[in-house]
Structure formats: C-alpha cells, structure tokens
Amino acid sequence: MTDEPPARRVALALLVAFYGVAGVAHLVVTDAMVRIVPGWVPWPRAVVIATGLCELAGALALLLPGWRVAAGWALALYALCVWPANVQHAIIDLSHGTGLPLAYHAPRLLLQPAIIAWALYASGAWAARRRRPSRRA
C-alpha cells in the first residue's frame, strides 16, 4: 500500500473503517436492521448477520494486498445488492411519517453509486482493470 497515491491510501483506510463499523452494527443492532430488509428476502435475521460478517470480511480483506482488488469488487457488488434494503428503509420511514426524514434518505440513496465507486477506487480495482490487457483481437 505504500506505493499507492496518498488519496487512495486515505480512501482505503476510510473504507476499511466504514465497512468495519457497518459490519459490527449489523451484529450489534441486528433487530433494527431486520426491520428494513425487504419482504421478498428470505430469513431476514440470518441475512442481516451474514451481511455483517461479509462487511467485516471485506474490511479485513482490504487490509491484505493479495485480496484487496477482489475485496473491492466484492464490496462494490455488495453495495449494489443492499441498495434495495436502503430503498425499503426509506419507504418505511417516509410512508409512516416516523423514523428518519427525507434529508437522511435522499443523500443515502443518491450516494450509493459513490460508495460503489469508492470501493473500486480505494481497493485499486479500477486501476487493476485498466492495467489488464484487452482480450479483444
């Protein structure tokens, strides 16, 4: 990581912290997380716990140079896959007039692509993709 640009090192450290805190939150406040899981997801409690473990594993993998790029792709895909839960959370809060306001949910939903990009940038996954030779003839 020492040969990485300073901005990428900072982005990586923040991403590790972000997913580390999120993973712990999934394991500590599991019941609150279960309430925002969309109804079509089976076994919501198990899914919340599994996603927390995935976040912790991703944060750990980001610290290991040999796993960093794979972790970046995995966390980017993960952020895409949990987007429906964020939408569901907004629907619950905004339709019942309880919970968090639009001022919280709108930025959260709009920033999801940035979180995906953050994982790809901080892990070096984008840079690694650009370095790979094209398979096209």
Side-chain angles (χ1 to χ4, degrees):
M1 191 165 93
T2 57
D3 61 336
E4 296 291 336
R8 184 172 293 146
R9 287 196 306 262
V10 170
L12 180 62
L14 292 172
L15 188 65
V16 168
F18 175 81
Y19 275 108
V21 168
V24 169
H26 277 79
L27 301 177
V28 172
V29 292
T30 306
D31 292 338
M33 302 281 186
V34 167
R35 287 193 290 275
I36 68 168
V37 174
W40 51 265
V41 175
W43 311 294
R45 185 172 187 76
V47 168
V48 168
I49 291 168
T51 57
L53 294 173
C54 287
E55 288 170 329
L56 290 171
L60 177 62
L62 287 170
L63 296 172
L64 304 171
W67 287 90
R68 188 168 297 138
V69 169
W73 285 109
L75 289 171
L77 181 60
Y78 171 85
L80 180 63
C81 291
V82 298
W83 208 341
N86 296 343
V87 171
Q88 180 70 21
H89 188 193
I91 291 169
I92 291 168
D93 282 356
L94 299 174
S95 66
H96 295 104
T98 60
L100 299 166
L102 183 61
Y104 167 81
H105 288 291
R108 181 181 187 197
L109 293 173
L110 293 172
L111 285 174
Q112 201 75 14
I115 293 170
I116 293 167
W118 180 18
L120 296 175
Y121 170 74
S123 67
W126 265 339
R129 175 94 170 111
R130 287 194 305 266
R131 287 191 301 264
R132 289 178 56 196
S134 175
R135 294 183 186 192
R136 296 179 188 164

